[in-house]
Amino acid sequence: MTHRQRRFAATTRTLFTIATTSGVLAGAALAGAAPAGAASGAGRISSGVSYRQFDVPAAKGTVHAHLLTVDLTNPHVRVDLLHPDAVAARAQVSAMADAAGAVAGVNGDFFNITETQHPGVAATGASVGPAIARGRLLKAAVPTAQRFGPSLPPGTDTTDVFGVGVDRRARLDRLTLVGTVRTPDGNLALRGLNQYALAQDSIGAYTPAWGTVSRKRATCGSDTSRAAGCSTDTYEVRIRDGRVVATSATPGSGAIAAGTTVLLGREAGADKLRTLTKGERVRVRKRMVASASRIPYRFAVGGYPVLRDGQPLAGLNNTTSAVRTAAGYTTGGHKLLLLALDGAAAYRSGMTIAEVADEMRELGAADAFSLDGGGSTTLVARTAGAKTVSVLNHPTDSPERAVANGIGVFWKP
């Protein structure tokens, strides 16, 4: 018996498991090593969804892990993106899960949490990577140098996503925006969609999905530094029903009306938009292209890969420990694993990204993906008989942190 096998055999006595039989499940009590105040009743999870918690030895001490296992072959089960009403907004995982009717979920992508580097500029709360919900494209990825979060492993960038396709299989991929702005004088390249940061010299589109927050942040930073100043060379064009209806020399704010798209340009992109005049016909086309799979995504969320084909990525950080959230899959993408560490004081030392990759492999994942961690790490599920979810781990933030998005697990009879 290996060290890992002995460890899992030993922790079986302290596991809290909800067996996935048919119908709504009954509760089971937690015994053993969970921190004081841990959920002692079973989550109200139906067939195809299970939950357990267990201890994991790590370099800086024992951590407590919470795991959701989701059978994507079960016709009653689906997963989708949890998100607020707007891209540029934040909400607690529990609130998003309840609003969407999810039975369980975890937090998602890293996000624009603060703007201390640009005083007077509003933090948008928008996520870093691409986001797709119910097959609908919400946003594209910010430039890699403009991301929030820990250093990326070599060879990864902000276009990396974890998601589930319309074929009900989980997968890792990269999603790149391909778009054009068709004008009377020719086509302009569209390089952004509902992003808190645009590449230098580019044009981005903002739709009603963006929300009401100022678009000023999109013109700050550079292609090499998130801390670089905000551009003073900007221009906006408002398009409604295929025609230019308004222009502005500065990024705007407030709700974008249905049927309206705002184009925002910086530097060379601003110069190109200045050629457009009120009343001209303009058409915006956009789509996301997956680098590996031709299967459309039902949902997708940003982060970064840590495990591919059962092997940890080269160069994973093995020195910085933190509370973490991760997603992975096994059995050819038919089984989803959602892992969240506990942020209670006794376990807050956490794990390194390298340790997370190793743990996901031990849990059976072929591919795995790191999501936002620290104070964002949250796992929720319905306990027996409840109509709303409960937070089952102990987030390090109290109260529960508002985040950009999450992964929701849904069950319908």
Side-chain angles (χ1 to χ4, degrees):
M1 181 179 287
T2 67
H3 169 75
R4 284 281 183 162
Q5 290 171 328
R6 288 194 298 272
R7 190 255 294 177
F8 276 103
T11 55
T12 299
R13 293 187 296 274
T14 61
L15 292 180
F16 169 36
T17 304
I18 305 172
T20 53
T21 56
S22 60
V24 175
L25 304 179
L30 170 68
S40 58
R44 186 180 184 275
I45 304 177
S46 297
S47 58
V49 185
S50 65
Y51 163 77
R52 63 185 175 109
Q53 51 181 307
F54 51 92
D55 288 341
V56 182
K60 293 191 177 179
T62 299
V63 299
H64 198 67
H66 301 253
L67 179 70
L68 290 167
T69 302
V70 183
D71 180 4
L72 297 176
T73 67
N74 188 304
H76 301 288
V77 175
R78 67 176 177 88
V79 295
D80 212 328
L81 191 74
L82 298 176
H83 61 97
D85 291 337
V87 169
R90 296 164 57 187
Q92 295 177 333
V93 176
S94 58
M96 291 189 289
D98 286 338
V103 297
V106 298
N107 64 289
D109 197 1
F110 302 87
F111 58 94
N112 176 203
I113 190 171
T114 181
E115 277 306 320
T116 56
Q117 297 167 320
H118 304 107
V121 176
T124 66
S127 63
V128 169
I132 293 175
R134 296 188 177 184
R136 174 188 171 214
L137 174 60
L138 296 179
K139 70 176 298 291
V142 303
T144 298
Q146 293 254 33
R147 65 182 293 275
F148 286 77
S151 297
L152 291 173
T156 65
D157 63 36
T158 55
T159 64
D160 284 299
V161 296
F162 177 90
V164 173
V166 295
D167 59 351
R168 296 180 59 84
R169 292 177 61 182
R171 56 177 52 89
L172 304 184
D173 212 327
R174 284 184 170 177
L175 289 177
T176 304
L177 178 69
V178 175
T180 58
V181 180
R182 182 173 295 178
T183 78
D185 295 325
N187 291 341
L188 307 177
L190 183 71
R191 295 180 59 195
L193 175 65
N194 292 331
Q195 297 168 202
Y196 70 76
L198 295 174
Q200 290 174 265
D201 298 308
S202 72
I203 297 170
Y206 293 81
T207 71
W210 169 254
T212 62
V213 176
S214 170
R215 295 176 288 278
K216 172 72 172 177
R217 175 60 185 85
T219 64
C220 301
S222 73
D223 294 349
T224 58
S225 173
R226 193 181 76 197
C230 302
S231 177
T232 57
D233 186 5
T234 64
Y235 202 74
E236 275 198 350
V237 173
R238 188 175 294 263
I239 300 165
R240 183 180 304 126
D241 298 327
R243 290 187 182 272
V244 176
V245 295
T247 62
S248 173
T250 57
S253 62
I256 298 173
T260 300
T261 298
V262 174
L263 297 177
L264 172 60
R266 55 179 297 182
E267 298 92 35
D271 287 340
K272 293 173 182 177
L273 291 182
R274 289 189 184 99
T275 66
L276 301 178
T277 59
K278 201 170 180 180
E280 279 190 319
R281 289 189 176 276
V282 176
R283 186 170 185 177
V284 179
R285 293 178 178 270
K286 55 189 181 295
R287 62 190 176 94
M288 295 295 279
V289 176
S291 64
S293 172
R294 296 179 182 271
I295 306 298
Y297 274 96
R298 168 73 179 181
F299 102 92
V301 65
Y304 59 90
V306 297
L307 189 71
R308 280 200 182 105
D309 298 324
Q311 296 299 316
L313 269 66
L316 292 180
N317 183 286
N318 199 28
T319 59
T320 304
S321 295
V323 176
R324 310 281 186 181
T325 307
Y329 59 83
T330 185
T331 62
H334 294 298
K335 182 181 291 184
L336 182 65
L337 305 173
L338 300 175
L339 178 76
L341 300 186
D342 204 288
Y347 303 106
R348 200 167 293 173
S349 56
M351 302 173 74
T352 67
I353 288 297
E355 288 176 322
V356 170
D358 183 55
E359 182 61 25
M360 293 300 286
R361 180 171 57 179
E362 290 294 331
L363 291 170
D367 292 347
F369 200 71
S370 176
L371 301 166
D372 193 9
S376 297
T377 291
T378 310
L379 185 146
V380 303
R382 291 187 191 176
T383 55
K387 296 182 179 180
T388 58
V389 299
S390 298
V391 178
L392 299 188
N393 74 325
H394 290 79
T396 60
D397 275 17
S398 182
E400 179 190 347
R401 177 183 286 178
V403 298
N405 54 34
I407 300 174
V409 182
F410 299 82
W411 192 93
K412 287 187 177 180

